[in-house]
Amino acid sequence: MKKLQLAGVARAMFASRRAWVFGAAMAVAGAANAATEIQVWHTLTDANKAEFEKLAKQYNKEQDDVRVTLRGFASPAALEQEAVSAVKAKKGPNLLQLSDNHSPEVVAQHKAVLPLYELLAKYPIKDLNWFIPATSSFTRDSKGRLLAFPWMAEVPVMFYNTAAYKKAGLDPNKPARTWTALQGELLKLRDVADIDCPYASSDQVSVHLENLAPINNQQFTSNNNGLDAVTKKSAAPAMQFDTLYMRHISLMVSWKRSLLFMAYSGDNASDKLFAKGECAVLTANSGAFGQFLATKSLSFGVAPLPYYEQATKEGGKPFVSGSALWALEGHPQAQEKATAQFLAWLAKPVVAAEWHQRTGYLPLTEAAFRASDVSFYSRIPGAQMFVASMSAKPVQNSRGFRMANYERIEPVLNKELTDAFEGKVPPVAALNNAAAQARSIAAQR
């Protein structure tokens, strides 16, 4: 009987050991086949956030090697504050959305940043022909090297409510091209269509200061828009608020008094008024497109920012700006490879085309623009023509600008602009104050 019992124990032990070995082997195999997780932190607004989440979910479903986890933040400041703490704790995300600070070389020099050209050197994206010309990209250094993934590249545009235009007796396929002509349209929107808010503006620093220069074929700052200060180590650039700026800000103040210019903000607050149909014309960054497209009751068109015929015979191109996905250092090689794989997927023509058409951000690649649905553009007057124009090589004035400490300068410009619009400070004084403070901040190290 003892022999039988011992034999039974031996068989049980063997079976148990075999189960353990088999289970351990399966665990090792499972670990080997587990998806590599990467984190992406962003500050996208609701409509664009939903599109990004949809794409991430699609990517996770299509393959088993990489799992992308998105985390949204209410503001760039909230994201950056959390990112600083996470990087110190060596728990930073793999990709981080950062707004254009007009000093990308400074960002790239941070020890926590992995410049994109270094990542792509290890894990290249094949057949990649960028849509945005290298010379105009806000994500490249002075040598033309790509520092970040320009997933949220945008430009300021003029949106207009086509239903309101028809009600005012205006042609929705021929919006004003100059500020003078726009004034005539706004008067009709106010008096004929009985619109309480003919014109509004979001991103007012971008629209009414930064891009007033390239749209009118002038430079925004000295030293070749600050580009010479980067490549030739010349003096720091300074704002150049000349007669063009005085004329423009004075015109905006007069529109405010005449109940034409009814809402303005340094953020995207005015976008909501346009989406609701309360304001007929809006100047804002193209990334607002996603919110308007998601508003089923809204019919709208897109046009370039107006220019002044006294300054130029035809309007120039705006600066390409926005935000981008920056890769961070300090992650295992498997995560670096997974990050590059996800970026390569985002760059696929069909994916990048969908992102462009749903959000209003510029196409990532030439193939993405070609893959965009023509029927989509036909529903939005002016959209295809405007986007196509952005692929051309920019002239000197529209290549972008560089300025140190611009993240501190922009709030100053915003305040002075608001004070001028509200009549607290005369336009000339506001511009002089802005230029003087900007010069002082830019010189600080």
Side-chain angles (χ1 to χ4, degrees):
M1 178 66 76
K2 273 186 176 180
K3 290 183 179 180
L4 289 174
Q5 287 177 339
L6 288 172
V9 171
R11 284 196 300 270
M13 290 178 63
F14 178 76
S16 175
R17 182 174 181 276
R18 184 173 60 182
W20 180 86
V21 171
F22 180 72
M26 290 297 291
V28 170
N33 295 326
T36 301
E37 182 173 338
I38 63 171
Q39 294 187 37
V40 183
W41 291 6
H42 66 85
T43 57
L44 294 168
T45 54
D46 291 345
N48 295 343
K49 175 184 177 182
E51 289 301 321
F52 200 22
E53 289 174 344
K54 184 172 70 174
L55 289 178
K57 185 177 180 180
Q58 179 183 340
Y59 179 68
N60 290 338
K61 188 177 180 180
E62 285 185 6
Q63 46 77 53
D64 299 321
D65 297 330
V66 182
R67 179 167 182 79
V68 176
T69 301
L70 304 183
R71 181 181 176 186
F73 289 79
S75 68
L79 182 150
E80 290 179 25
Q81 182 177 2
E82 182 75 12
V84 170
S85 300
V87 168
K88 286 183 178 179
K90 297 184 178 180
K91 296 180 180 179
N94 303 86
L95 292 169
L96 189 72
Q97 180 185 351
L98 294 179
S99 298
D100 182 9
N101 74 339
H102 299 283
S103 298
E105 295 90 349
V106 175
V107 178
Q109 289 170 2
H110 195 286
K111 61 182 181 180
V113 169
L114 173 61
L116 190 62
Y117 70 86
E118 292 186 10
L119 180 66
L120 296 187
K122 298 179 184 177
Y123 313 103
I125 300 177
K126 297 180 180 179
D127 304 322
L128 190 61
N129 187 11
W130 298 100
F131 180 79
I132 305 169
T135 51
S136 70
S137 178
F138 62 101
T139 56
R140 292 181 185 272
D141 62 15
S142 59
K143 296 180 180 179
R145 298 178 299 187
L146 198 64
L147 302 175
F149 194 70
W151 188 233
M152 300 91 169
E154 58 185 336
V155 289
V157 297
M158 185 177 82
F159 296 100
Y160 59 97
N161 187 308
T162 55
Y165 262 57
K166 292 176 183 177
K167 186 177 180 181
L170 300 168
D171 187 346
N173 293 311
K174 295 181 179 180
R177 288 293 296 111
T178 67
W179 289 103
T180 303
L182 180 59
Q183 177 171 290
E185 294 184 349
L186 296 179
L187 288 169
K188 287 188 176 182
L189 289 164
R190 184 193 68 182
D191 300 334
V192 178
D194 197 26
I195 301 293
D196 291 333
C197 176
Y199 171 55
S201 185
S202 285
D203 310 297
Q204 61 184 20
V205 173
S206 173
V207 171
H208 298 288
L209 291 180
E210 294 172 3
N211 283 281
L212 187 66
I215 291 295
N216 288 280
N217 291 310
Q218 295 187 17
Q219 293 192 350
F220 179 52
T221 77
S222 61
N223 287 348
N224 190 25
N225 278 330
L227 298 176
D228 287 349
V230 176
T231 59
K232 301 177 183 178
K233 307 300 181 182
S234 58
M239 302 290 184
Q240 302 182 133
F241 295 143
D242 57 9
T243 305
L244 170 68
Y245 283 87
M246 296 175 190
R247 173 191 292 123
H248 180 68
I249 303 306
S250 296
L251 180 65
M252 294 302 102
V253 171
S254 71
W255 284 8
K256 174 79 165 31
R257 293 170 180 165
S258 303
L259 304 181
L260 298 179
F261 188 19
M262 301 303 292
Y264 41 86
S265 64
D267 54 17
N268 59 0
S270 297
D271 296 359
K272 297 178 181 179
L273 299 176
F274 183 79
K276 294 177 181 178
E278 295 180 14
C279 296
V281 176
L282 172 76
T283 47
N285 282 321
S286 60
F289 185 95
Q291 178 183 351
F292 303 152
L293 193 66
T295 307
K296 302 302 181 183
S297 59
L298 180 66
S299 58
F300 67 96
V302 183
L305 290 180
Y307 63 92
Y308 284 97
E309 59 269 42
Q310 299 94 332
T312 182
K313 293 182 179 179
E314 59 181 25
K317 290 182 175 60
F319 295 134
V320 176
S321 187
S323 55
L325 295 176
W326 289 75
L328 297 189
E329 286 274 19
H331 296 288
Q333 185 176 353
Q335 289 189 23
E336 283 192 2
K337 182 178 180 181
T339 299
Q341 287 176 325
F342 179 54
L343 295 180
W345 185 83
L346 292 178
K348 290 174 61 176
V350 65
V351 177
E354 181 179 354
W355 175 249
H356 154 61
Q357 291 178 121
R358 295 294 183 184
T359 62
Y361 293 124
L362 294 177
L364 193 65
T365 63
E366 290 284 357
F369 178 58
R370 292 194 301 270
S372 298
D373 191 349
V374 175
S375 64
F376 160 79
Y377 284 123
S378 65
R379 293 186 286 116
I380 313 296
Q384 185 174 26
M385 184 181 300
F386 179 79
V387 174
S389 72
M390 294 307 301
S391 67
K393 185 176 181 179
V395 296
Q396 184 174 3
N397 293 334
S398 64
R399 289 173 53 209
F401 71 92
R402 295 285 189 269
M403 182 166 283
N405 304 320
Y406 195 75
E407 68 279 3
R408 293 163 52 201
I409 293 173
E410 196 274 340
V412 170
L413 302 181
N414 186 62
K415 180 184 181 301
E416 293 296 335
L417 204 53
T418 299
D419 287 348
F421 291 161
E422 294 181 353
K424 295 179 180 179
V425 180
V428 174
L431 290 169
N432 288 338
N433 290 342
Q437 291 181 68
R439 188 180 301 109
S440 175
I441 296 172
Q444 296 174 10
R445 298 299 178 187

